[in-house]
Every structure is written in structure tokens, then in C-alpha cells.
Amino acid sequence: MFGFRSSVKQVAGVLLAGLMVSGAVAVQAQVTHRTRRESSANRKARIARTTAETYSHRFEVAGGGGYMRFKSGSLLQKNNEVTFWMSGTYFLNQKLGIIGEVRGAYGNAKIANNLGSPVTLPFNPQISEYPFLGGIAYRVYAKEKYAVTVTGEGGAALGKFDGDAKGFRSSDIGVWQDATKPAFAVGANFDYNFYPNLAFRVSPTYIATFFRLDPTDLTHGPQSTIQNNFGVNVGVVYRFGKIR
């Protein structure tokens, strides 16, 4: 009888110990799960704060360089140009902004391929264009590290095409006449944020210009009405101020 009771007590003790161990494991698992859940919540809260801080800035200033393909005359091949750009944006809210921008592009017109020209130069003269643009910017994607903004701008472009032609006029070599003409541009800004106020930007861009040949140039026609130019700009962005 006493042996039976002793056995029951031993079994009960083993069961009790097992229950205590399993309970401790369950409590530990619950604490671990809660800690992980709290860490995830904290991380989400931190990302939300950083994102809000990044896109609550009132102003953006940006600048850098890039590349563009440009057609410098009616019968000429397109040439490669090195570009610079500087822009400033005033944000009305976290999505919509007003943008002003200055660009410059430098290259060499491919005069050697202009077979209809009465003048043959032993070099390709330097040319340059300077668009002055203004318009709107609209953020279509805004996360902690990445943002995408589309832009639309209009203005005027100053073109210099025969200043390096050793005394020859634009009508002699088939390049556009020096002039200031309308221009408009559309593009997209892809930003990678290092910090809420500092980012790296890549911007594919299209810019249309309306340069024309000299009216006295009857050799290199037809007169062009629009030049479709494509390129890409890269640079840095600095943000400051707060949207109230």
C-alpha cells in the first residue's frame, strides 16, 4: 500500500515537473514572440517617422551633370553632349511642387557628315545650348529610401552654334542659327535617400527645342520645327525647411 502511494507520488512529481517545464517553455516562447512583435512595431514606427521627415521638407535644391543626344542641324547627325543642371523646388505639400531649372549642354556638331554643305571644315565646331525652365513636380512614389517624381517644364533655350566656326556663319555650315527659342521638357527623378535631407538622383529626360536654320540658308534645308532630344542627368539633392 505504502509502495503504491510512493509510486503515485513519484509519477505525480514527474508530471508536475513536466508541466512546469512546458509552462516555462510556453512563457518563454510567448515573451520571445512578444519581443519580436514589439521590435517589428518599433521598426515600422521608425520607418514611418523617417519617411515623414524626409518628405515634409519645403525646399529641394539639386544639381549635377549628365549626357544628351542633340541634333544640331537639319541635315546633320545627332551629336553627344555633356550637360550640367541646377534646380530648385518649392513644395506646396508632400507631393506637389513648383520647380525652376537651369541646364547647359556642350558638344561638337558633326559637320563632316553634312554632305550638302559648300564648306568643309577640318574639325567639328563646338556648340552649346542653355535651357531655362519652370514647371511642376509631382511625387508618385515616396518611401524611406526611394522616391520617384515626374516633372513637366516649359521655358526658353539659348543656342550658340557658330561661335567656334572660325568665322563661318551658321548658314555656311548647316547648323542652327544662334537664337533663343521655346523649349519644354518632361522627365522623372529617381531618388535614393542617404539621409532625410540628402539624396542621390538619376533623371532620364526628354527636352524639345525649336531652333531653325538661318532664313537665308537655302542649301541645308528643310527648316526644322522641333528637335527631340533625350538624355540622362545625375546629381545630388539637398532638402531643407518644413511644410507647415
Side-chain angles (χ1 to χ4, degrees):
M1 185 70 176
F2 290 105
F4 177 75
R5 289 179 180 178
S6 178
S7 298
V8 170
K9 289 180 179 180
Q10 289 176 357
V11 171
V14 171
L15 292 175
L16 180 60
L19 288 173
M20 291 177 65
V21 170
S22 62
V25 171
V27 170
Q28 181 64 34
Q30 184 177 3
V31 170
T32 302
H33 177 70
R34 184 179 301 168
T35 301
R36 288 178 179 173
R37 184 175 60 188
E38 289 174 352
S39 296
S40 176
N42 290 340
R43 178 175 177 273
K44 290 180 180 179
R46 175 182 56 79
I47 291 174
R49 288 194 302 269
T50 302
T51 302
E53 181 183 357
T54 299
Y55 305 110
S56 63
H57 288 99
R58 175 72 75 181
F59 301 96
E60 277 188 358
V61 291
Y67 165 84
M68 187 173 70
R69 289 282 287 173
F70 180 77
K71 189 174 183 181
S72 52
S74 183
L75 298 178
L76 302 185
Q77 289 185 350
K78 286 190 174 183
N79 55 279
N80 301 320
E81 296 191 329
V82 176
T83 65
F84 78 85
W85 60 279
M86 296 179 293
S87 69
T89 307
Y90 176 86
F91 279 94
L92 303 173
N93 52 52
Q94 292 192 8
K95 289 184 175 293
L96 182 63
I98 300 171
I99 185 172
E101 185 173 17
V102 178
R103 304 186 189 185
Y106 309 90
N108 295 86
K110 295 185 176 180
I111 300 301
N113 294 321
N114 184 15
L115 302 180
S117 177
V119 175
T120 301
L121 298 179
F123 62 94
N124 293 325
Q126 293 182 357
I127 60 174
S128 58
E129 309 87 52
Y130 303 91
F132 298 85
L133 305 169
I136 59 172
Y138 187 80
R139 283 196 185 108
V140 295
Y141 183 85
K143 297 296 183 181
E144 179 190 19
K145 287 296 184 181
Y146 301 96
V148 180
T149 304
V150 294
T151 61
E153 303 170 79
L158 170 64
K160 298 184 177 182
F161 301 108
D162 60 7
D164 188 49
K166 308 303 181 184
F168 290 106
R169 300 173 302 168
S170 60
S171 57
D172 297 324
I173 58 177
V175 295
W176 308 125
Q177 185 181 30
D178 288 3
T180 299
K181 294 291 185 179
F184 68 86
V186 294
N189 299 331
F190 296 88
D191 293 347
Y192 176 81
N193 300 316
F194 298 115
Y195 302 101
N197 64 341
L198 185 66
F200 174 75
R201 173 169 292 176
V202 178
S203 302
T205 183
Y206 162 83
I207 181 168
T209 53
F210 294 82
F211 298 113
R212 298 178 64 84
L213 297 177
D214 189 302
T216 64
D217 187 353
L218 304 179
T219 305
H220 304 101
Q223 286 277 358
S224 178
T225 57
I226 185 172
Q227 297 86 51
N228 299 301
N229 312 301
F230 296 89
V232 60
N233 294 325
V234 297
V236 294
V237 182
Y238 179 73
R239 307 182 180 104
F240 60 97
K242 291 294 180 182
I243 298 174
R244 302 300 179 185

